[in-house]
Amino acid sequence: KKSRQTVNTDHDEVLLIEANLDDQSGESLGFAMDQLIDAGAFDVFFTPIYMKKNRPACKLSVLCAPEERDTFVNLLLKHTSTIGVRYQVMQRSIMQRQFKKVETKFGTIRVKVARRDGVVKQTAEYDDCACAARTHGVSLAAVEQEVRRQLSDSLNQN
Amino acid sequence: KKSRQTVNTDHDEVLLIEANLDDQSGESLGFAMDQLIDAGAFDVFFTPIYMKKNRPACKLSVLCAPEERDTFVNLLLKHTSTIGVRYQVMQRSIMQRQFKKVETKFGTIRVKVARRDGVVKQTAEYDDCACAARTHGVSLAAVEQEVRRQLSDSLNQN
Amino acid sequence: KKSRQTVNTDHDEVLLIEANLDDQSGESLGFAMDQLIDAGAFDVFFTPIYMKKNRPACKLSVLCAPEERDTFVNLLLKHTSTIGVRYQVMQRSIMQRQFKKVETKFGTIRVKVARRDGVVKQTAEYDDCACAARTHGVSLAAVEQEVRRQLSDSLNQN
Amino acid sequence: KKSRQTVNTDHDEVLLIEANLDDQSGESLGFAMDQLIDAGAFDVFFTPIYMKKNRPACKLSVLCAPEERDTFVNLLLKHTSTIGVRYQVMQRSIMQRQFKKVETKFGTIRVKVARRDGVVKQTAEYDDCACAARTHGVSLAAVEQEVRRQLSDSLNQN
Amino acid sequence: KKSRQTVNTDHDEVLLIEANLDDQSGESLGFAMDQLIDAGAFDVFFTPIYMKKNRPACKLSVLCAPEERDTFVNLLLKHTSTIGVRYQVMQRSIMQRQFKKVETKFGTIRVKVARRDGVVKQTAEYDDCACAARTHGVSLAAVEQEVRRQLSDSLNQN
Amino acid sequence: KKSRQTVNTDHDEVLLIEANLDDQSGESLGFAMDQLIDAGAFDVFFTPIYMKKNRPACKLSVLCAPEERDTFVNLLLKHTSTIGVRYQVMQRSIMQRQFKKVETKFGTIRVKVARRDGVVKQTAEYDDCACAARTHGVSLAAVEQEVRRQLSDSLNQN
Ligand code: NI
Ligand code: NI
Ligand code: NI
Ligand code: NI
Ligand code: NI
Ligand code: NI
Ligand code: NI
Ligand code: NI
Ligand code: NI
Ligand code: NI
Ligand code: NI
Ligand code: NI
């Protein structure tokens, strides 16, 4: 999965594809999002918009690798009612990323460590935390707090 | 039209009917709004909501007279995909309303005068202003500004 | 699952529980929605709101059976950051529901048949359609169209 | 009307013009949308945004032909309160389009047929369906279903 | 300030007042929010809505003590363009609250401790954290993390 | 302050920086907006979006001078939870601006005068109007109306 890979660069490009959808149900838009995520989009998101003729509608946005344009344009045309999509390339500034594992009383949790110009961010992986929370019958916040405590302790011992 | 009638009370009740819609297009929701407005609803509005399974959806709200509940419940069931609507009665505090006419260089414009406890609001009727703006090729703001100027002048002359 | 049961009444009551959330991430709100759905809420939805101090926030709404109030109030307090929830009972007008099965070239699909005062709505079950679409590599719309075609044919033969 | 013309290309460019509006009422934004649609914009839509100082505001977006930039920039400056608009050119991938007519029990309905790489989409024209629904006192869904049935029948006869 | 007082009950009532606003700018709605907060409302929030005639609009909601209805109804009529507001009483389930102070390297930070049925939530006061972050030139997250570390340490020492 | 400076050009460029935020609270996003505004951004705004896994999230957008890209990219990485931001340069058409002062019964109010191709817009400065409204205990609308009246009178006297 792309979001779990090491990243060693601090700059790249990303393609933003968009379509306005006023003749498709929310139900089938949820299905379309799943297909786009499964196909490896970096990100897929909906924005509520208001269109002519009093239509509450939805803008679908996909962020993907520029070289995968055809794949995602075709998926959009297949899974949505639109007959046209627009797109553009955007620049990105990104933090470098590595992964480590933290042992907690709720099990092992992966932590993403992002760095850039002295800024360091440590983020527990959502899927691991959610799984641990479900298994142990606690809230997601309880798991995340435990991970932060372990990270803070290991910091103090060095 | 209800919004153009004189109102002499400062308190009444209103029925709020709502439905969450995730399996209907924005296009047909716009059509439903038109039907509900034509049937005499006080107000009809959409709120963007997010439902389970990643569905960008829409809450449809109707404000109507409590005694017209059956009419609007049936219209909602006819013109939307929902199989159930929820409703409740709410209290309302309202300003008393009268109407007057103002002559401007863009033609006659109706003005709603609302009063309550010393607060006075004068509002030019949108439909008149929009019609005048279209006819004279000016912006809506230009017409509204002209109406306010006339109202202010007539105030100064008294 | 509640949404797949036969319903023979045309009126009932529902409890609406709400909380405004400005100090919890979207990530953990998604987790909370899953917990609430799993616990048998009729519906769970988010509404984007804007709060004081420039905070883009989220209103969480839960619709459940009035007699399950304690269960859902406790789940909200457990899985969200709120320290208070508000609620009210609303009336509902609902369509009576039955289920039938339709054979299509994409497999068997359940169809919900809702009736009230002469209005009849037939809706293919989302989960069945989504599963069939994934299995056969087609769009959700293709499956739904096939179901409608079968329903229309069976109508013509009677 | 542009949306009803045959289109024989699968790629073009579109200009996206945007403005953030925090000092104009929704009423006058609705008027502005009408003016922009009447002037031939491909699409006009509003996005709810939240700006500084606790302001619930609105982003107005216009999609138009790149060569009509001056026309639409001027209309935006005339009909909105903004003192600056931003814009960019985007690429578009579009489906080729043709139109045909379908006879139904609700009258003649135009259908847009869009094609690209084997994907075919048939969409009944909203204005025709809405007009037929109003005239015959039925829901929009009833008309659309009838159109789909005719399309499906004509498919079966070939 | 109400949000900083000790609360010893687990149930109360709250009044929800609402108005739909389509003829007022976001700028002046931000001003209205400030006035309502200053007057002691429990909460004030905006919801983006879509009204007839293509109007992107705003629902203003105020939560206040039921006995302060007149105060807030009058403030709404004074500071907004509406000529009517609707309201209803809702029930609330709330957590009991106490306050304590935590010493950190960024100064003293108040912490709200909320309890109900075994659930305990500790939340650093936003205003204290924001002030400390500004003074020390760090992010809000850095201050909040430091508070959590102190709370966790004091837990370990008992 | 940039928004109060005379502007003599009718065209420039602006940088749009964006990030999708699903793991940060609204509370801390409000803090981030303050920091970005204080650092001289032209505009900062939030858009409600809906991301995968049922997450109600927020897009943060910053408009700034293209030559200040590093400053704002770094501020975004410091004050938000994102590990990457995307950006692009957009063109702008702007109205030329000057400032004048108007004496009213509520004190002196600055007025921005914007011009382009015969279109003239006069806008009372929000901060001055808000301050006057607070000091004199009137609504913002009352101050703005007084400013417009003075502007209209001075127009008539010439
Ligand atoms: Ni359409
Ligand atoms: Ni375990
Ligand atoms: Ni459904
Ligand atoms: Ni005339
Ligand atoms: Ni808070
Ligand atoms: Ni099969
Ligand atoms: Ni302004
Ligand atoms: Ni006919
Ligand atoms: Ni109005
Ligand atoms: Ni200090
Ligand atoms: Ni995440
Ligand atoms: Ni004064």
Side-chain angles (χ1 to χ4, degrees), chain D residues 96-143:
Chain D
Q96 300 196 11
R97 275 155 246 186
Q98 289 173 298
F99 289 83
K100 64 180 181 189
K101 289 183 176 172
V102 174
E103 301 305 320
T104 74
K105 66 180 176 191
F106 300 118
T108 306
I109 306 284
R110 277 167 298 182
V111 170
K112 181 162 54 186
V113 185
R115 286 195 172 80
R116 185 184 164 106
D117 289 347
V119 177
V120 181
K121 292 178 190 171
Q122 299 197 104
T123 320
E125 279 292 296
Y126 171 77
D127 287 341
D128 292 1
C129 294
C131 180
R134 273 195 199 91
T135 310
H136 293 82
V138 299
S139 70
L140 188 69
V143 176

Side-chain angles (χ1 to χ4, degrees), chain E residues 85-96:
Chain E
V85 302
R86 56 189 187 273
Y87 54 84
Q88 64 177 309
V89 172
M90 295 184 81
Q91 308 299 310
R92 273 208 308 189
S93 291
I94 53 181
M95 298 178 79
Q96 300 196 10

Side-chain angles (χ1 to χ4, degrees), chain F residues 5-158:
Chain F
Q5 288 168 7
T6 301
V7 172
N8 291 318
T9 179
D10 67 355
H11 183 266
D12 67 1
E13 293 193 334
V14 70
L15 186 73
L16 172 66
I17 312 178
E18 295 188 324
N20 291 3
L21 296 156
D22 67 358
D23 54 357
Q24 184 168 9
S25 72
E27 204 169 79
S28 68
L29 285 170
F31 184 82
M33 178 186 268
D34 291 346
Q35 303 304 305
L36 292 160
I37 293 283
D38 288 354
F42 296 154
D43 211 350
V44 180
F45 56 102
F46 297 118
T47 309
I49 58 173
Y50 197 20
M51 294 173 69
K52 65 177 179 185
K53 300 183 190 177
N54 294 322
R55 294 175 185 168
C58 188
K59 184 174 72 169
L60 169 54
S61 302
V62 178
L63 289 168
C64 67
E67 61 273 21
E68 296 194 280
R69 190 183 74 202
D70 284 353
T71 304
F72 285 102
V73 165
N74 287 339
L75 279 172
L76 268 166
L77 293 178
K78 177 176 178 183
H79 289 292
T80 74
S81 61
T82 195
I83 53 172
V85 301
R86 55 191 187 272
Y87 53 85
Q88 64 177 307
V89 172
M90 295 184 81
Q91 307 299 309
R92 274 209 307 187
S93 292
I94 53 182
M95 298 179 79
Q96 299 194 10
R97 276 154 245 188
Q98 289 173 298
F99 289 83
K100 66 180 180 188
K101 288 183 178 173
V102 175
E103 302 303 321
T104 75
K105 65 180 178 192
F106 300 118
T108 307
I109 306 285
R110 278 166 297 182
V111 170
K112 181 161 55 184
V113 185
R115 285 193 174 80
R116 186 186 164 104
D117 289 345
V119 177
V120 182
K121 292 178 190 172
Q122 299 196 106
T123 320
E125 280 291 297
Y126 171 78
D127 287 341
D128 292 2
C129 295
C131 181
R134 274 196 198 90
T135 310
H136 293 82
V138 299
S139 69
L140 187 71
V143 176
E144 291 174 339
Q145 187 177 340
E146 180 64 17
V147 174
R148 277 192 305 256
R149 208 173 59 78
Q150 292 292 344
L151 289 170
S152 159
D153 279 6
S154 72
L155 201 71
N156 292 347
Q157 285 163 8
N158 297 344

